[in-house]
Amino acid sequence: MKYNSKKTITIITACSVVILIAMLVNYRLTQHVVESTVIAQQEDIADKAANTVEIWLNQQMKILEAAANSISTNDLNQNPATMLPLRMAMQAGHFTDVYIGTPEGVLIDGAQWQPPPGYDPRDRPWYKRAIETGTLSFTTPYIDMVTNKLVIALVKPLLADGSFVGVMGADTVLETLVENVLNYKQSESGFAFIIEKSGTIIVHPNKDYVMRARLQTIEPELANKIGTFKSTGSSTFSYRSTDGRDHLLSSKPIRGSEWYLCVTVPRDEAYSMTRSTT
């Protein structure tokens, strides 16, 4: 009888150990699945948000390119053949202004804005950007002299018989881009924002940060991560935010630019949402 009792206890103990080990292994596997799912979801959200921005920018650039192709570059001046495409592009792209700067320093403005004395388009960020890239591109935000607002200028060098004859630019107010990014809402505290390669914030829910702060300054734990953004595709980092909560940040490069779309969310919120769906 005692033998049977000991044997039963041994069997029960062995089974308990096996069950415990199985539970631990299952727990670790579940945690790994949840972790992988959270990261995949965050990177998918960043990817979709970046695609939204890319689609919007591409549409705007197509309008500018169509306007540039419709202008006779052999005769750039204030004549109807030049002014009409500028005004049509303003309406089609909802631009605040569409204009041309010439190598002689002349401004041809679709909104008929009169520049102040001493104004030289060759000194403006949009003109310099077109010279720098030599192709259809866009600037980082800057203060527009017409609206006194932060704008992004889409720019394209103009050629006549292969020779450079000027730069066409089109201004879109930054709020238009903000609407395409900040409409995203993943969780109670999560949000999207855009930085450029040095970490300067271009779009952010906190307007005080825009073009005045860098990501590594407001979130010091990300200081050593900025450099890895451009060497990877979609990537996700864990960090302790200055609000004291653990966060996840996923980044995605925006094609055709030196910008990065970022999505950040408190870790507990991200895991809570993932567990509810898995």
Side-chain angles (χ1 to χ4, degrees), residues 131-144:
I131 298 298
E132 175 190 346
T133 63
T135 187
L136 184 64
S137 60
F138 51 92
T139 68
T140 55
Y142 65 93
I143 296 294
D144 175 39

Side-chain angles (χ1 to χ4, degrees), residues 11 18 31 37 55 101 106 137 143-144 156 172 216 227 239:
I11 292 172
V18 171
Q31 287 295 97
T37 303
I55 290 170
V106 176
S137 60
I143 296 294
D144 175 39
K156 178 177 173 59
T172 184
Q216 56 267 44
Y239 70 100

Side-chain angles (χ1 to χ4, degrees), residues 2 15 17 24 35 38-39 59 94 115 124 137 155 161 181 206 217 221 225 238 260 263 265 267 275:
K2 291 182 178 180
C15 289
V17 171
L24 289 172
E35 179 82 15
V38 168
I39 291 174
Q59 289 174 338
H94 301 287
R124 299 299 293 161
S137 60
V155 297
D161 300 324
V181 177
N206 188 336
T217 302
E221 281 208 7
K225 302 296 185 182
S238 296
Y260 299 89
V263 173
V265 63
R267 177 179 281 271
R275 289 192 182 97

Side-chain angles (χ1 to χ4, degrees), residues 212-225:
R212 296 188 184 96
R214 294 188 177 189
L215 180 60
Q216 56 267 44
T217 302
I218 63 175
E219 295 292 358
E221 281 208 7
L222 291 171
N224 62 344
K225 302 296 185 182

